[in-house]
Amino acid sequence: VYTYLHNVLYLEKKNHLNLFNHLIITIKSLYLKKLINNTNYWIVQTTHVKNKLSNKWNLPESKIIILPFFQEDTFHHSNKSKNKITYLYVSNGENYKNHKRLFDAFGKFSYGKTNIELLVTISNNYSKLMSIIQKLKIKGVPVTNLGFLNKDDLQYVYSTVDIVLFPSFFESFGLGLIEAAQNNLPVLASNCDYV
């Protein structure tokens, strides 16, 4: 039996989640731990998750297989000659993705500048973040939410930006980092192990 585990929420402290999500993740984590002996091998995408899984449930590393499955497509970043610097953060709006701090920092960073902009990809399910974005726009902070994008539209956006931001508190894989690398884009990221 092979079990694929992608979500590090089951393997780390959950201090940044609201009470309801914390409770749900804790229950799921306890359930997984109870059934841990029902699998022969665990499949993960990165060494980071392998180490967390091994440490959390005292699993031998020989029972954990690293098998990344992201596409190996090679994309090329367009060489733009423009005066504006465009930052991009591709992520949903969960609390641990750290949008609130990003918006606060970008608001301060952009003050008095006309040559920068921030693009984000938050679905409309995150009304609090939508409200923050509207308030920032009223203040003149150049933040644009593109919403959820399909793969082709997202690839086009990657081809037009200059820098990828990745301020998430934690990730199991961080697909946006891989996509940035595939597009030869520089990344500003959190100082976390997953990076």
Side-chain angles (χ1 to χ4, degrees):
V1 175
Y2 292 82
T3 302
Y4 169 72
L5 182 70
H6 173 71
N7 197 333
V8 292
L9 284 172
Y10 303 120
L11 306 175
E12 294 187 348
K13 292 182 181 177
K14 298 163 256 322
N15 298 337
H16 53 280
L17 296 176
N18 65 40
L19 182 60
F20 178 76
N21 287 335
H22 178 81
L23 182 61
I24 294 296
I25 294 297
T26 300
I27 290 169
K28 288 180 180 181
S29 182
L30 291 171
Y31 180 74
L32 277 172
K33 185 176 181 184
K34 182 178 180 190
L35 299 176
I36 205 164
N37 292 326
N38 291 353
T39 191
N40 300 95
Y41 294 96
W42 293 81
I43 298 173
V44 298
Q45 289 191 69
T46 66
T47 304
H48 171 69
V49 177
K50 179 179 181 176
N51 293 339
K52 291 215 172 279
L53 179 60
S54 177
N55 292 336
K56 174 77 174 189
W57 290 324
N58 200 25
L59 293 173
E61 289 191 12
S62 61
K63 297 287 186 180
I64 306 171
I65 301 166
I66 298 174
L67 188 65
F69 66 86
F70 65 90
Q71 286 187 319
E72 291 280 358
D73 297 338
T74 303
F75 302 111
H76 298 286
H77 184 243
S78 65
N79 291 326
K80 304 173 297 301
S81 58
K82 63 177 187 175
N83 293 328
K84 184 175 273 192
I85 299 172
T86 303
Y87 297 85
L88 173 66
Y89 184 25
V90 176
S91 175
N92 65 27
E94 294 298 327
N95 285 340
Y96 65 89
K97 298 293 187 172
N98 211 5
H99 282 93
K100 289 179 184 174
R101 275 196 187 155
L102 172 63
F103 293 152
D104 183 50
F106 196 79
K108 292 173 183 173
F109 176 66
S110 68
Y111 183 76
K113 295 181 176 81
T114 58
N115 65 336
I116 63 172
E117 67 179 330
L118 172 62
L119 305 177
V120 294
T121 59
I122 305 167
S123 73
N124 291 330
N125 298 339
Y126 300 95
S127 57
K128 287 181 181 177
L129 291 177
M130 297 298 110
S131 176
I132 291 171
I133 291 170
Q134 288 299 7
K135 289 175 185 173
L136 289 170
K137 285 177 169 271
I138 291 169
K139 291 179 181 178
V141 178
V143 177
T144 302
N145 181 32
L146 304 173
F148 179 81
L149 298 174
N150 67 42
K151 184 178 177 182
D152 292 335
D153 291 340
L154 182 58
Q155 180 49 48
Y156 172 76
V157 171
Y158 273 116
S159 75
T160 66
V161 302
D162 300 289
I163 298 171
V164 171
L165 302 176
F166 214 84
S168 180
F169 290 128
F170 71 89
E171 297 286 333
S172 56
F173 188 59
L175 185 58
L177 297 173
I178 299 298
E179 291 168 344
Q182 288 176 327
N183 286 280
N184 299 316
L185 288 165
V187 177
L188 293 175
S190 299
N191 185 18
C192 296
D193 290 343
Y194 75 85
V195 177

Short mmCIF file of all heavy atoms in Angstrom, two decimals, residues 1-4 35-43 63-65:
data_model
loop_
_atom_site.label_atom_id
_atom_site.label_comp_id
_atom_site.label_asym_id
_atom_site.label_seq_id
_atom_site.Cartn_x
_atom_site.Cartn_y
_atom_site.Cartn_z
N VAL A 1 0.86 -1.17 0.00
CA VAL A 1 0.00 0.00 0.00
C VAL A 1 0.90 1.23 0.00
O VAL A 1 1.82 1.35 0.80
CB VAL A 1 -0.92 0.01 1.24
CG1 VAL A 1 -1.73 1.29 1.31
CG2 VAL A 1 -1.82 -1.20 1.25
N TYR A 2 0.62 2.16 -0.92
CA TYR A 2 1.33 3.42 -1.02
C TYR A 2 0.37 4.55 -0.64
O TYR A 2 -0.75 4.59 -1.14
CB TYR A 2 1.85 3.65 -2.43
CG TYR A 2 2.94 2.70 -2.84
CD1 TYR A 2 2.64 1.42 -3.30
CD2 TYR A 2 4.27 3.08 -2.76
CE1 TYR A 2 3.64 0.55 -3.68
CE2 TYR A 2 5.29 2.21 -3.13
CZ TYR A 2 4.96 0.95 -3.59
OH TYR A 2 5.96 0.09 -3.95
N THR A 3 0.81 5.44 0.20
CA THR A 3 0.00 6.58 0.60
C THR A 3 0.72 7.86 0.20
O THR A 3 1.87 8.07 0.56
CB THR A 3 -0.26 6.58 2.12
OG1 THR A 3 -0.90 5.35 2.48
CG2 THR A 3 -1.12 7.75 2.53
N TYR A 4 0.02 8.70 -0.55
CA TYR A 4 0.57 9.98 -0.97
C TYR A 4 0.16 11.04 0.06
O TYR A 4 -1.01 11.18 0.38
CB TYR A 4 0.04 10.36 -2.35
CG TYR A 4 0.35 11.77 -2.74
CD1 TYR A 4 1.65 12.14 -3.07
CD2 TYR A 4 -0.64 12.74 -2.77
CE1 TYR A 4 1.94 13.45 -3.41
CE2 TYR A 4 -0.36 14.04 -3.10
CZ TYR A 4 0.94 14.39 -3.43
OH TYR A 4 1.23 15.68 -3.76
N LEU A 35 -3.97 5.25 11.47
CA LEU A 35 -3.91 4.31 10.35
C LEU A 35 -2.51 4.18 9.75
O LEU A 35 -2.35 3.57 8.70
CB LEU A 35 -4.89 4.75 9.26
CG LEU A 35 -6.35 4.79 9.69
CD1 LEU A 35 -7.22 5.33 8.57
CD2 LEU A 35 -6.84 3.42 10.13
N ILE A 36 -1.52 4.73 10.42
CA ILE A 36 -0.17 4.80 9.85
C ILE A 36 0.42 3.43 9.52
O ILE A 36 1.17 3.28 8.56
CB ILE A 36 0.76 5.60 10.79
CG1 ILE A 36 1.90 6.18 10.00
CG2 ILE A 36 1.27 4.76 11.93
CD1 ILE A 36 2.63 7.27 10.74
N ASN A 37 0.06 2.42 10.27
CA ASN A 37 0.61 1.09 10.02
C ASN A 37 -0.09 0.34 8.89
O ASN A 37 0.30 -0.76 8.54
CB ASN A 37 0.55 0.25 11.31
CG ASN A 37 1.49 0.78 12.36
OD1 ASN A 37 2.57 1.29 12.05
ND2 ASN A 37 1.07 0.72 13.61
N ASN A 38 -1.11 0.95 8.29
CA ASN A 38 -1.83 0.32 7.19
C ASN A 38 -1.19 0.60 5.83
O ASN A 38 -1.73 0.21 4.81
CB ASN A 38 -3.28 0.80 7.14
CG ASN A 38 -4.08 0.28 8.32
OD1 ASN A 38 -3.60 -0.53 9.10
ND2 ASN A 38 -5.30 0.76 8.46
N THR A 39 -0.07 1.30 5.81
CA THR A 39 0.60 1.60 4.55
C THR A 39 2.04 1.10 4.60
O THR A 39 2.67 1.11 5.64
CB THR A 39 0.54 3.11 4.23
OG1 THR A 39 0.96 3.31 2.89
CG2 THR A 39 1.39 3.92 5.17
N ASN A 40 2.52 0.64 3.44
CA ASN A 40 3.90 0.15 3.36
C ASN A 40 4.89 1.28 3.05
O ASN A 40 6.00 1.30 3.58
CB ASN A 40 4.02 -0.92 2.27
CG ASN A 40 3.12 -2.10 2.55
OD1 ASN A 40 2.00 -2.15 2.05
ND2 ASN A 40 3.57 -3.03 3.38
N TYR A 41 4.46 2.18 2.16
CA TYR A 41 5.34 3.27 1.73
C TYR A 41 4.54 4.56 1.64
O TYR A 41 3.36 4.56 1.30
CB TYR A 41 5.96 2.98 0.37
CG TYR A 41 6.91 1.81 0.40
CD1 TYR A 41 6.47 0.55 0.02
CD2 TYR A 41 8.22 1.97 0.81
CE1 TYR A 41 7.34 -0.54 0.06
CE2 TYR A 41 9.09 0.90 0.84
CZ TYR A 41 8.64 -0.35 0.47
OH TYR A 41 9.50 -1.41 0.51
N TRP A 42 5.22 5.66 1.93
CA TRP A 42 4.64 6.99 1.82
C TRP A 42 5.28 7.69 0.64
O TRP A 42 6.49 7.58 0.43
CB TRP A 42 4.89 7.79 3.10
CG TRP A 42 4.15 7.22 4.27
CD1 TRP A 42 4.53 6.17 5.04
CD2 TRP A 42 2.90 7.65 4.77
NE1 TRP A 42 3.59 5.91 6.01
CE2 TRP A 42 2.58 6.82 5.86
CE3 TRP A 42 2.00 8.66 4.41
CZ2 TRP A 42 1.40 6.97 6.59
CZ3 TRP A 42 0.85 8.81 5.15
CH2 TRP A 42 0.55 7.98 6.21
N ILE A 43 4.50 8.42 -0.13
CA ILE A 43 5.01 9.17 -1.28
C ILE A 43 4.83 10.65 -0.98
O ILE A 43 3.75 11.10 -0.60
CB ILE A 43 4.26 8.79 -2.57
CG1 ILE A 43 4.48 7.30 -2.88
CG2 ILE A 43 4.71 9.67 -3.73
CD1 ILE A 43 3.65 6.80 -4.04
N LYS A 63 11.04 4.17 4.15
CA LYS A 63 9.62 3.94 3.84
C LYS A 63 8.97 5.17 3.17
O LYS A 63 7.77 5.16 2.90
CB LYS A 63 8.83 3.60 5.11
CG LYS A 63 9.28 2.33 5.78
CD LYS A 63 8.82 1.14 4.99
CE LYS A 63 9.14 -0.15 5.73
NZ LYS A 63 8.71 -1.31 4.99
N ILE A 64 9.77 6.22 2.96
CA ILE A 64 9.24 7.44 2.37
C ILE A 64 9.93 7.69 1.04
O ILE A 64 11.14 7.84 0.97
CB ILE A 64 9.44 8.64 3.32
CG1 ILE A 64 8.86 8.34 4.71
CG2 ILE A 64 8.80 9.89 2.73
CD1 ILE A 64 9.21 9.37 5.75
N ILE A 65 9.14 7.75 -0.02
CA ILE A 65 9.66 7.92 -1.38
C ILE A 65 9.38 9.34 -1.85
O ILE A 65 8.24 9.82 -1.75
CB ILE A 65 8.97 6.92 -2.34
CG1 ILE A 65 9.21 5.49 -1.87
CG2 ILE A 65 9.43 7.13 -3.77
CD1 ILE A 65 8.31 4.47 -2.53
#
